[in-house]
Every structure is written in structure tokens, then in C-alpha cells.
Amino acid sequence: DTAVSQTPKYLVTQMGNDKSIKCEQNLGHDTMYWYKQDSKKFLKIMFSYNNKELIINETVPNRFSPKSPDKAHLNLHINSLELGDSAVYFCASSQVLSTGELFFGEGSRLTVL
Amino acid sequence: DAKTTQPNSMESNEEEPVHLPCNHSTISGTDYIHWYRQLPSQGPEYVIHGLTSNVNNRMASLAIAEDRKSSTLILHRATLRDAAVYYCIRNSNSGYALNFGKGTSLLVTP
């Protein structure tokens, strides 16, 4: 029974399209995150939600819009995809913001052609 | 900016102990030290974390220097499955999410 699950695992799309990645956690955690891992393998925080409220919003283009319908879900919608958006996107959750253990999903590999 | 320094890569023989160093010389008194690892094609997984005292769990041990400017993750008996990128992260209890640096790529050879 997967703790943090993301869909889809792989996504190939054309520049200019709009796409979404979904994330669900069944751990009962209050905080969820989106991370981006680029081709150089740097893992950077993008967003964090705590009880459905946006807590952290790093310098991310406003083409990226997270949405948290409830505290078990955090979806990532990306408008007008660009080549540089190609990366692996990881969803994570924790019970406590910043010091709690993070549980990561398996990642969603986005390729923009 | 993860504000930690780790070697880019290390190599170990299977079934031998591995000591992964991390330098965090500008650490503040409230910063925790976290270790995560990322196996190939997987998401990062938690290994251990601590504040001041040495910590042990089923995966590893964390030895924190007395001045807290460095720490060492100890894998007591490396297995092939331990080959991964190990990230040392410091962060304060200030509401910020963990920021990962480049980590140390550990190669374990039979």
C-alpha cells in the first residue's frame, strides 16, 4: 500500500501544452510538498502546503499552480510547458513542517519536446 | 542553498563500514541535521536526523561533532543495496522545507 503516490509516472508532451501531475498520501500527514529534480540531479523545493494552505512558494514561474483539494492531495498544474520544465517532479509529505521526516513519492518524469 | 559540504563520491566494499562525512560549519544552534538517500530511479528516503547527540536507528548511525560543525553518517555494514546518493541537510525549525544539495554518490563494490 503506497504511502505517497503520484500519477502519471511518465509524461511526454509538446511545448505549449498544459499538464497536471497528481499526488496523494495516505499517511494522515498535514504537510505536502512538490520538489523538482533537474538533469543535474539537484532537488529543489517548489511548494509546500500545510492543511491545504500554501506555506512555501519558492521562486517558481506562475505557470506552475499547485492545488490542494484536501490535506491528502496536492496536485501540480503546469501551463504553457517549456523545454526547461523537463525534470522529475517529486511529491512528498510530512507530519511536521521542516523537522518531520519527509516521505517521497516515486516521482513523475516530465519530458517536454 | 543546502549550506552543507559533502564529497561528490565515495566508494566502499560490501560488508564493510562506511563513514560519510558532512561539513556544516555555519550551522546555528537550532538547526537539525538530516540525512536522506536516493536510490537510482527512486524518490529520496529518510535515513536519520539529529540535533546534538549521536543517533542510532536500524538503518544507520549519526555521529555529530561536539561543536556541531560536522557530522558523519555511518553505515555499519554496506550492502549493494546501499549504493545511492546520500544527502546531508541542515535546516532550522523555522517553517522551511528541506533543501537538498548535490550529495555524495556512494558506490558499493562486491
Side-chain angles (χ1 to χ4, degrees):
Chain A
D1 193 17
T2 307
V4 181
S5 57
Q6 304 178 219
T7 53
K9 285 194 71 171
Y10 300 95
L11 187 52
V12 181
T13 188
Q14 301 285 333
M15 276 177 58
N17 285 349
D18 303 338
K19 290 293 177 186
S20 292
I21 307 172
K22 295 185 176 182
C23 179
E24 176 182 4
Q25 54 95 3
N26 62 7
L27 298 167
H29 288 165
D30 291 329
T31 309
M32 295 185 72
Y33 312 78
W34 277 109
Y35 280 83
K36 177 182 179 181
Q37 189 166 42
D38 59 24
S39 57
K40 294 182 180 176
K41 304 296 184 183
F42 284 109
L43 195 59
K44 295 181 181 177
I45 181 70
M46 299 175 68
F47 302 102
S48 172
Y49 270 72
N50 183 260
N51 274 323
K52 302 194 298 172
E53 281 192 41
L54 181 64
I55 300 297
I56 294 169
N57 183 356
E58 292 296 313
T59 308
V60 175
N62 57 15
R63 298 181 295 104
F64 289 78
S65 52
K67 287 207 169 40
S68 182
D70 56 62
K71 73 174 194 178
H73 296 83
L74 181 61
N75 304 323
L76 184 65
H77 188 76
I78 315 170
N79 289 327
S80 305
L81 280 157
E82 300 178 356
L83 294 176
D85 298 332
S86 296
V88 182
Y89 292 85
F90 288 99
C91 177
S93 74
S94 69
Q95 183 55 36
V96 178
L97 181 64
S98 84
T99 59
E101 175 184 345
L102 289 176
F103 291 79
F104 282 84
E106 293 196 350
S108 297
R109 180 176 292 277
L110 172 65
T111 302
V112 182
L113 303 175
Chain B
D1 181 7
K3 300 176 184 172
T4 62
T5 306
Q6 298 177 252
N8 287 335
S9 61
M10 290 184 65
E11 194 169 333
S12 171
N13 293 322
E14 196 177 11
E15 298 190 8
E16 291 191 357
V18 182
H19 291 233
L20 295 160
C22 181
N23 187 297
H24 29 79
S25 57
T26 60
I27 197 167
S28 74
T30 57
D31 284 358
Y32 283 80
I33 301 152
H34 302 254
W35 284 84
Y36 281 74
R37 72 179 185 180
Q38 187 173 20
L39 277 67
S41 301
Q42 292 190 28
E45 66 173 337
Y46 169 83
V47 178
I48 202 166
H49 80 285
L51 184 60
T52 55
S53 306
N54 293 346
V55 185
N56 300 297
N57 66 20
R58 63 174 179 80
M59 287 181 74
S61 295
L62 175 60
I64 302 173
E66 208 168 311
D67 62 5
R68 299 205 336 117
K69 294 186 178 195
S70 64
S71 61
T72 303
L73 180 71
I74 303 165
L75 307 179
H76 295 287
R77 246 173 119 240
T79 69
L80 297 178
R81 198 198 171 276
D82 290 323
V85 178
Y86 286 78
Y87 298 96
C88 168
I89 307 156
R90 52 168 271 210
N91 87 307
S92 65
N93 188 19
S94 61
Y96 288 95
L98 299 180
N99 283 307
F100 290 69
K102 291 180 72 174
T104 296
S105 179
L106 176 65
L107 175 67
V108 180
T109 52

